[in-house]
Amino acid sequence: MKLAKKFMLATTALAGLASAASSEVADDSRLKTVLDRGLLQCSGHNGSFLGFAEVNDEGNWKGIDIDLCRALAAGLFGTAKDNLEIVPISWAQRWPALQSGDIDVVIKASGWTQSRDTDLNLAFSRPYFISTYQTMAHAELGAETLADLGGGTLCVGAGTSTERAAATYLEANNIEAELLTFENGDELRNSYYEGRCDGQVEIAPGLAAGRVDAPNGAENHVILPDVIALEAVGIVVPEGDDDWLDIQNWMLSSLWFAEAEGITSENVDDIRANPPSEVVAKFLGVTPGYGERLGLDDDWAYNMIKEVGSYSEIYDRNIGSGSRYGLERGLNALYKDGGVFYPMIID
């Protein structure tokens, strides 16, 4: 009995410590700064990055990255309305803007590379998108592979991992081609459309979007099969801010969990009213615990799903089957559907 009592006391004490520690947020965490400010400042784009960060005809931001900014704001504040500022920045500005505090997080199709991870004092979340670098070429050139564009010019974004990957691939495969770089995505695509470049190197979703918008018709452009590189795209926060990084990882996991459980923005209220399991009840804040450990309200995931939906809803409406780009999920599907993504365990 004495042993059992000691065990119970120890368990109670540990549970108390865990509860106290779980709800604490470091004073210097970006999470505390954002919550105190009541506003999330999230990265946008200085032009349009189709499918990820673009401005529609009504002047509103849209795209996968923008929806993740909205999801984050909804999780933090209950709604993104009046609690989210999309800050337009270039590719090159994203790291200084994050380090200086001009933005709180970089959600901007940013590839996870060793130099960014180690030299720039940045921390990456779990990948939320797997992209392949490929080349789109003018069909009239008759190119079937990238080697067929040897001696020509390729348009590519300046200062991006795409530029580095293209240079590495060309060197490794002894292909002589000039890389013509651009800071602005619209300028890059227009230069390609106007024939200044024989090919355009970009991630596959960007090429699919660009082909749809080609002034002379999508049929006059081909996406070459060569995979220049494969890149894991993640959310970026300052290194050493574990509380803020936890929020990003659990936000992504929650979007995948909702998809795996069939929870959508349309049915989340019905499921919350009658959750099918204890885990779903906890996930939607019906029972306590899912938010407290992160320093958030327990219904943070419910608010997020209610406002932006699951990962599949975000993907489909921005770049997948519900968009004009029609890009299949492929590797970006859940593991059970042949992809690489999966939610973490909720306990």
Side-chain angles (χ1 to χ4, degrees), residues 22-343:
S22 63
S23 59
E24 291 179 356
V25 176
D27 288 339
D28 60 350
S29 173
R30 197 68 64 97
L31 172 59
K32 187 174 188 308
T33 300
V34 172
L35 291 176
D36 289 347
R37 186 197 302 135
L39 179 74
L40 173 69
Q41 295 171 320
C42 199
S43 56
H45 200 63
N46 59 340
S48 283
F49 190 60
L50 301 178
F52 287 81
E54 56 182 297
V55 179
N56 63 18
D57 294 338
E58 290 76 41
N60 299 316
W61 286 101
K62 59 177 288 191
I64 290 178
D65 288 348
I66 300 302
D67 271 354
L68 290 178
C69 290
R70 291 174 56 211
L72 181 56
L76 294 173
F77 301 110
T79 176
K81 182 177 174 56
D82 299 327
N83 294 304
L84 172 65
E85 178 185 4
I86 300 296
V87 182
I89 56 174
S90 69
W91 294 108
Q93 289 173 319
R94 57 190 153 164
W95 313 136
L98 178 65
Q99 300 292 19
S100 67
D102 290 340
I103 58 174
D104 300 307
V105 60
V106 174
I107 307 179
K108 190 176 168 65
S110 300
W112 191 347
T113 71
Q114 186 182 38
S115 63
R116 291 170 179 172
D117 196 4
T118 59
D119 296 342
L120 298 180
N121 294 322
L122 303 173
F124 282 75
S125 72
R126 297 175 61 188
Y128 66 84
F129 193 86
I130 305 298
S131 63
T132 55
Y133 295 121
Q134 292 177 247
T135 305
M136 180 166 68
H138 301 282
E140 63 184 12
L141 297 177
E144 296 182 354
T145 70
L146 186 53
D148 294 332
L149 298 182
T153 301
L154 303 176
C155 288
V156 64
T160 64
S161 48
T162 313
E163 180 185 1
R164 290 194 296 276
T168 300
Y169 185 88
L170 293 175
E171 181 180 8
N173 290 276
N174 296 315
I175 301 173
E176 295 285 343
E178 179 187 1
L179 294 181
L180 193 58
T181 62
F182 298 86
E183 269 286 348
N184 185 283
D186 290 335
E187 186 181 357
L188 188 158
R189 277 185 292 279
N190 288 333
S191 295
Y192 165 74
Y193 294 146
E194 293 165 0
R196 291 184 62 189
C197 304
D198 301 301
Q200 175 189 344
V201 182
E202 195 175 337
I203 58 174
L207 295 178
R211 185 165 61 173
V212 169
D213 284 336
N216 61 343
E219 68 278 9
N220 289 305
H221 303 270
V222 294
I223 297 177
L224 302 178
D226 315 61
V227 175
I228 293 174
L230 187 147
E231 182 177 60
V233 170
I235 299 172
V236 189
V237 299
E239 193 168 58
D241 192 342
D242 293 343
D243 292 330
W244 194 219
L245 183 60
D246 283 347
I247 296 294
Q248 316 309 321
N249 281 323
W250 281 101
M251 173 185 72
L252 295 173
S253 183
S254 297
L255 296 173
W256 290 314
F257 180 86
E259 180 180 353
E261 294 290 331
I263 304 172
T264 70
S265 57
E266 295 295 322
N267 66 21
V268 66
D269 283 321
D270 292 337
I271 292 179
R272 192 185 194 208
N274 187 24
S277 69
E278 292 183 4
V279 175
V280 171
K282 190 169 187 176
F283 173 72
L284 294 177
V286 178
T287 56
Y290 193 52
E292 180 186 4
R293 293 165 174 169
L294 296 168
L296 302 177
D297 293 337
D298 282 330
D299 60 356
W300 72 278
Y302 161 78
N303 292 327
M304 186 171 63
I305 302 303
K306 178 71 176 176
E307 187 147 331
V308 303
S310 67
Y311 184 90
S312 64
E313 290 179 271
I314 292 174
Y315 186 98
D316 288 344
R317 71 169 164 260
N318 287 302
I319 203 165
S321 58
S323 75
R324 65 194 185 107
Y325 309 125
L327 192 67
E328 295 183 358
R329 289 282 294 272
L331 290 175
N332 292 293
L334 286 178
Y335 71 99
K336 64 186 182 68
D337 299 321
V340 298
F341 293 137
Y342 58 91

Side-chain angles (χ1 to χ4, degrees), residues 4-26:
K5 186 175 182 180
K6 286 182 178 179
F7 176 78
M8 291 178 63
L9 289 172
T11 302
T12 302
L14 286 173
L17 286 173
S19 177
S22 63
S23 59
E24 291 179 356
V25 176

